Amino acid sequence: MARILLGITGGIAAYKACELVRLLVRAGHEVLPLPTPGAERFVAAETFYALARIAPPADPYPHLGRADALVIAPLTANTLAKLAHGLADNVLTEAALAHRGPLVVAPAMNTRMWEHPATQANVDVLRDRGAIVVEPGVGELAEGEVGAGRMAEPAEIATIVAQALVGLEGSALEARPPEDSVQSGVSGALVGKHVLVTAGGTREPLDSVRFLGNRSSGRMGVALAAEARRRGAKVTLLAANLTVDPPDGVQIVNTPTAADVERETHVRSAAADVVVMAAAVADYRPVEPWAAKRPKDSVTWKVVLEPTADVLAGLGARERNGQVLVGFGAETGAAGLDRKRAMLHDKNLDLVVYNDVSREGTGFDADENEVVLITRAGERAVPRAPKPLIAAAVLDEVERLLEQSKQEDRSGSA
Ligand code: CTP
């Protein structure tokens, strides 16, 4: 059980903080809510104390005592700026200056405020100091606009807090399998390994409300993340506009656009033993998206698209030191299968998961899939099955590749 200071700042997302308090308490933590005066315009402090099952603190400095983690959700642009510059003008910002230990923040604000260079610079300052930033998602905001800025879901924040607390118990733990996999007797090549999975489909803005996207739901990537976790791996899921719930126990990073996937994959892949690129990443994006909503008129709207970076090819081109790299390919028919065979070599991958998107009821936005697993050692057709079973077949192959690279490593160093 940890002692968690939970800062809540002013914004409509303060309502979602109620659920976060509940989840943290349910996970067995002692939670001290620190709502700012701005937050109390939306939710009374007493509500947070009641959910935390504590009496309103009598001590004027409750926030300066020992705390294992400081979590701020929602974090407004204003408090973010204060944190970046070390201001201490209320109980929460004082607590932030006094706190030593993990800081997890979940920003929530209007899209234009979030995208403003001043806000992004402040986010970078916090990240450079080691803060964990739970990126806001894309969706409808309180003002009716659609865009990035909506606070991440409480379950996602609670999962990330749990991981930050596990990290606290000593860096040696990092190299060990998660406790529950030890307890449940899980064994296999994925135990204790870092697995990075991308899932969903990216959306490339045309203006502040419209985008170019694809039909990927994220089911396949989510099934892979859940299965890797079940096999004892430490999983990070880069989530591009998932339409299904992410699994418990994995770290989730929202990556709504191809640029987000590229940046986060770049940052996080170095520490990964396995990278699975299951997301449908846009191949093209509008060169000049409108900053605001483009008004409707009778003139033809011509959009110029530019190619995005091929993230997977970039990963394949680097030195990998035994890292297993998995790509997905959605094509049609035998010619498609041939192109995916070529992709194994062209992008220097260890495994290509080919699915024929011309088949009814499989692939994009479906519950089932039917794939061919292509490796240098050969091919294996996996017949039509629910995506969790396909995920298990893919990870069987990944475990085989991990074992193989371990043996090669041994014979190389012998
Ligand atoms: N991918 C990527 N970066 C992109 C596009 C795709 O990393 N900008 C990854 C996807 O996550 C997937 C694989 O590359 O793992 C798909 O490869 P791609 O060459 O795009 O093949 P298809 O999408 O099957 O087909 P096409 O070549 O027609 O795009």
Side-chain angles (χ1 to χ4, degrees):
M1 180 173 105
R3 182 174 149 87
I4 297 174
L5 299 180
L6 176 62
I8 304 133
T9 67
I12 194 78
Y15 286 103
K16 282 172 131 182
C18 296
E19 172 67 3
L20 181 58
V21 177
R22 212 179 55 75
L23 290 173
L24 294 174
V25 168
R26 203 173 64 186
H29 303 304
E30 182 190 338
V31 179
L32 175 61
L34 300 175
T36 61
E40 290 199 60
R41 292 205 324 267
F42 293 88
V43 182
E46 284 68 22
T47 306
F48 295 118
Y49 298 135
L51 289 166
R53 299 180 197 155
I54 58 167
D59 175 0
Y61 305 110
H63 57 291
L64 298 181
R66 179 190 72 79
D68 298 301
L70 171 62
V71 180
I72 309 180
L75 173 65
T76 56
N78 185 41
T79 300
L80 167 65
K82 289 182 192 175
L83 296 182
H85 294 92
L87 270 68
D89 64 346
N90 61 31
V91 169
L92 173 58
T93 47
E94 280 177 20
L97 274 190
H99 177 67
R100 299 290 174 272
L103 168 64
V104 178
V105 298
M109 63 196 76
N110 167 277
T111 304
R112 279 167 286 141
M113 291 169 72
W114 171 246
E115 288 173 351
H116 194 284
T119 303
Q120 289 301 312
N122 289 334
V123 170
D124 287 344
V125 168
L126 291 200
R127 274 209 182 99
D128 288 348
R129 281 193 211 130
I132 301 168
V133 180
V134 190
E135 296 257 339
V138 176
E140 191 170 340
L141 303 171
E143 319 79 62
E145 284 180 38
V146 176
R150 199 170 64 170
M151 188 177 88
E153 290 307 312
E156 177 186 344
I157 300 168
T159 303
I160 290 171
V161 171
Q163 288 180 340
L165 290 168
V166 168
L168 259 192
E169 290 170 33
S171 53
L173 230 162
E174 287 287 298
R176 294 212 305 265
E179 295 257 296
D180 49 359
S181 67
V182 175
Q183 280 159 13
S184 61
V186 174
S187 62
L190 278 168
V191 172
K193 292 284 189 274
H194 284 81
V195 175
L196 181 66
V197 180
T198 67
T202 64
R203 294 178 177 178
E204 309 307 318
L206 285 158
D207 66 11
S208 65
V209 299
R210 304 176 177 98
F211 56 81
L212 285 179
N214 60 67
R215 289 195 290 120
S216 177
S217 61
R219 273 192 198 88
M220 194 63 239
V222 163
L224 283 156
E227 181 62 17
R229 165 77 189 150
R230 208 184 59 73
R231 294 183 184 208
K234 291 164 72 82
V235 182
T236 301
L237 180 65
L238 302 190
N241 312 295
L242 303 183
T243 63
V244 292
D245 287 337
D248 286 337
V250 311
Q251 184 185 9
I252 295 153
V253 180
N254 283 317
T255 51
T257 67
D260 295 324
V261 175
E262 186 191 3
R263 185 190 65 249
E264 294 299 327
T265 308
H266 185 71
V267 170
R268 293 162 198 275
S269 61
D273 301 289
V274 179
V275 179
V276 183
M277 289 290 300
V281 184
D283 293 321
Y284 297 91
R285 70 173 145 240
V287 176
E288 285 179 345
W290 288 55
K293 180 173 183 276
R294 181 191 183 279
K296 182 172 68 176
D297 54 29
S298 54
V299 180
T300 302
W301 180 5
K302 288 190 181 154
V303 178
V304 180
L305 304 178
E306 64 183 357
T308 58
D310 190 322
V311 182
L312 186 58
L315 293 177
R318 293 176 332 177
E319 183 69 42
R320 295 224 295 277
N321 292 327
Q323 181 186 72
V324 171
L325 187 54
V326 183
F328 273 67
E331 296 252 11
T332 52
L337 181 55
D338 276 344
R339 276 196 293 275
K340 294 303 102 168
R341 285 181 182 127
M343 185 164 110
L344 189 73
H345 303 282
D346 295 347
K347 296 196 190 185
N348 192 27
L349 311 180
D350 300 298
L351 169 62
V352 173
V353 182
Y354 166 69
N355 71 291
D356 187 338
V357 284
S358 63
R359 296 185 189 198
E360 193 73 16
T362 65
F364 272 128
D365 200 17
D367 292 324
E368 298 193 324
N369 215 349
E370 179 178 342
V371 300
V372 180
L373 305 181
I374 309 169
T375 64
R376 286 182 168 74
E379 288 173 20
R380 181 156 78 91
V382 185
R384 185 171 178 149
K387 284 181 175 172
L389 291 182
I390 301 286
V394 171
L395 292 182
D396 285 348
E397 201 57 47
V398 166
E399 289 195 318
R400 196 189 61 71
L401 289 161
L402 280 170
E403 290 291 356
Q404 185 183 314
S405 101
K406 201 161 89 187
Q407 277 164 14
E408 283 167 7
D409 207 33
R410 272 201 218 108
S411 53
S413 57

